[in-house]
Amino acid sequence: MAFWVKELRLKTLRDITQTRVESTLQKLRSGGLSGKSLNHAQSVINAFIRWSVERKKLAAMPWDKLRKFDESVRPENKRRALTLEEVGRLLSISPEVHSIVYETAITTGLRAGELASIRCGDLLNHRPALLLRGEHAKDRLEAEIPLTSALHERLQELVDGKAEEAQLFDSFPFHHSARTIEHDLKIAGLRKHASDGKVDFHSLRTTSVTLGLASGADPRTIQQLARHKSLTMTDAYARVIPERVE
């Protein structure tokens, strides 16, 4: 409910009205939030309202039924993978504090929230790897994330002199990750939208899986590195990378 408390600026239960909820959902839809995410947010507030009515904190449901959103992926929302050339351009032209985050995302498949949670003490010294704490992982399982030797050395320089509990990527604006990568794509001369989809921060995870499979790696190895529960999910992330015509 923290999401709804913030979005509706709730002070009392009477502030939850059908008009305000539907207006918020439509605003989020216009902002590009997927139908699946919108329906999840809707189910959360529905469950909370039913709980409030059952415990007589509210006299009745403030609505009969909220409209469900189409969960099919719209073409403009389908994520595409970057080519190796595009990855090189993005990493070479982006500011260093952004580039190292993008490189970590692409080589590890870590999500934005997971990257934001990494502390300096999570960088292992005895081998090239990061520790992803279970409370911050999407699957709630602790994992050791392998790194390339070159990236491990760069990250060791980044943590030098910092406290173990300090945020590793403290200079990257994760709360504005979508806006940040969009700006960096622009200065790198890369299109956010192409015929095969769009690029946002989560596309770096799509790129990680796609390039890993394209390199000839065993699909089960990629599944393990991506921390997917099934090969079906790994296959869903894979993209065919066409040559870009600029």
Side-chain angles (χ1 to χ4, degrees):
M1 273 298 293
F3 165 82
W4 283 108
V5 170
K6 178 181 177 182
E7 288 295 325
L8 298 178
R9 299 180 182 178
L10 295 180
K11 293 182 179 179
T12 70
L13 291 176
R14 289 191 297 273
D15 294 333
I16 304 176
T17 66
Q18 182 170 356
T19 300
R20 296 186 70 193
V21 169
E22 289 184 336
S23 175
T24 298
L25 291 170
Q26 288 298 335
K27 180 182 71 174
L28 293 171
R29 182 61 159 172
S30 299
L33 200 64
S34 70
K36 184 177 180 180
S37 296
L38 290 167
N39 286 335
H40 173 71
Q42 190 181 123
S43 69
V44 169
I45 198 164
N46 269 325
F48 175 74
I49 290 296
R50 283 195 296 271
W51 177 88
S52 299
V53 172
E54 288 170 2
R55 284 157 181 76
K56 306 199 183 298
K57 297 178 182 294
L58 276 177
M61 291 284 289
W63 52 76
D64 292 327
K65 188 177 181 180
L66 295 173
R67 182 178 64 85
K68 288 286 187 181
F69 289 86
D70 181 7
E71 294 193 9
S72 60
V73 179
R74 295 182 293 179
E76 64 270 26
N77 283 340
K78 181 179 179 181
R79 293 186 176 94
R80 69 177 179 88
L82 296 171
T83 65
L84 280 173
E85 180 186 357
E86 289 175 320
V87 169
R89 286 165 63 182
L90 179 64
L91 298 185
S92 64
I93 295 177
S94 298
E96 174 65 19
V97 294
H98 298 177
S99 176
I100 196 167
V101 173
Y102 299 150
E103 182 177 350
T104 305
I106 291 168
T107 57
T108 65
L110 286 169
R111 304 168 178 87
E114 294 170 339
L115 287 164
S117 76
I118 300 293
R119 303 299 159 187
C120 292
D122 296 332
L123 180 66
L124 304 185
N125 292 319
H126 51 291
R127 59 181 176 277
L130 283 171
L131 180 67
L132 176 61
R133 306 183 195 190
E135 63 265 32
H136 300 302
K138 186 177 181 180
D139 59 8
R140 293 294 181 256
L141 297 175
E142 183 173 292
E144 191 174 296
I145 311 298
L147 303 169
T148 64
S149 296
L151 179 58
H152 186 246
E153 289 179 8
R154 290 178 64 201
L155 292 177
Q156 284 181 313
E157 294 175 3
L158 189 64
V159 304
D160 188 35
K162 292 183 179 179
E164 285 201 349
E165 283 303 310
Q167 187 180 20
L168 177 58
F169 301 112
D170 57 353
S171 297
F172 188 86
F174 284 103
H175 54 297
H176 294 308
S177 60
R179 186 187 310 167
T180 301
I181 193 170
E182 183 173 356
H183 175 265
D184 290 341
L185 287 167
K186 186 175 181 179
I187 63 174
L190 301 175
R191 289 177 291 175
K192 177 179 179 179
H193 294 281
S195 59
D196 51 332
K198 70 172 185 179
V199 176
D200 58 11
F201 196 95
H202 200 72
S203 296
L204 304 181
R205 181 169 168 81
T206 301
T207 299
S208 178
V209 171
T210 300
L211 295 181
L213 291 171
S215 72
D218 187 316
R220 293 195 179 279
T221 299
I222 302 302
Q223 176 194 350
Q224 183 179 15
L225 292 173
R227 292 165 288 119
H228 286 151
K229 290 183 178 180
S230 68
L231 273 175
T232 302
M233 177 60 73
T234 304
D235 289 341
Y237 266 76
R239 301 287 188 271
V240 175
I241 305 179
E243 291 190 15
R244 307 286 175 211
V245 179
E246 300 295 342

